[in-house]
Amino acid sequence: MSNAAHDALIHLMIVAASSDSAMTERELVRIQALIGRLPVFEGFDKTRLAVVANACADKLNGPGGLDQVIDDAIAVLPVKLQDTAYAVAVEVASVDLHLEQEELRFLELLRDKLTLDRLTTAAIETAARARHRRMPN
């Protein structure tokens, strides 16, 4: 897979983590874990992570802002990776089991721009909640 596609997935994870104005340590650890564990990131040079994160921040602060980051990411991703893109964004956003309004807005915006059906996105969201659930007290 190309650097552009890797970068696009990472940009979406970073935006998911920072959409509520604060990227937590748990979210950063989850991003690093996903990059280290998921087959889609095979071949990604992990030493580039800081450069990719900074490029994402520059784009977010640029003229197109959030919409530009999402549009650019989707433009370079193969269609068959759109569900993966949504899944990694949901995974990072749901790591703390509480989605802020800004995180929900980002996921809704991303969902609307992807060519995924509602059943697929609902399944991804449900699976993420199940993976992050803790034992009741």
Side-chain angles (χ1 to χ4, degrees), residues 5-57:
H6 283 140
D7 293 3
L9 291 171
I10 292 167
H11 284 192
L12 293 175
M13 290 191 293
I14 289 170
V15 173
S18 61
S19 61
D20 61 355
S21 302
M23 186 182 306
T24 66
E25 181 69 22
R26 288 180 74 165
E27 290 166 330
L28 181 59
V29 167
R30 180 54 52 109
I31 290 170
Q32 292 169 329
L34 291 170
I35 291 169
R37 183 178 79 226
L38 294 180
V40 75
F41 289 107
E42 285 175 7
F44 176 72
D45 178 3
K46 292 174 190 69
T47 63
R48 290 186 59 247
L49 185 54
V51 171
V52 174
N54 288 333
C56 180

Side-chain angles (χ1 to χ4, degrees), residues 75-93:
V76 299
L77 282 174
V79 173
K80 70 178 186 175
L81 287 183
Q82 287 198 3
D83 57 353
T84 303
Y86 191 68
V88 295
V90 169
E91 185 72 19
V92 171

Side-chain angles (χ1 to χ4, degrees), residues 4-5 7-9 11-12 59 68-78:
D7 293 3
L9 291 171
H11 284 192
L12 293 175
K59 259 189 207 185
Q68 192 66 54
V69 173
I70 294 171
D71 292 344
D72 289 352
I74 292 171
V76 299
L77 282 174

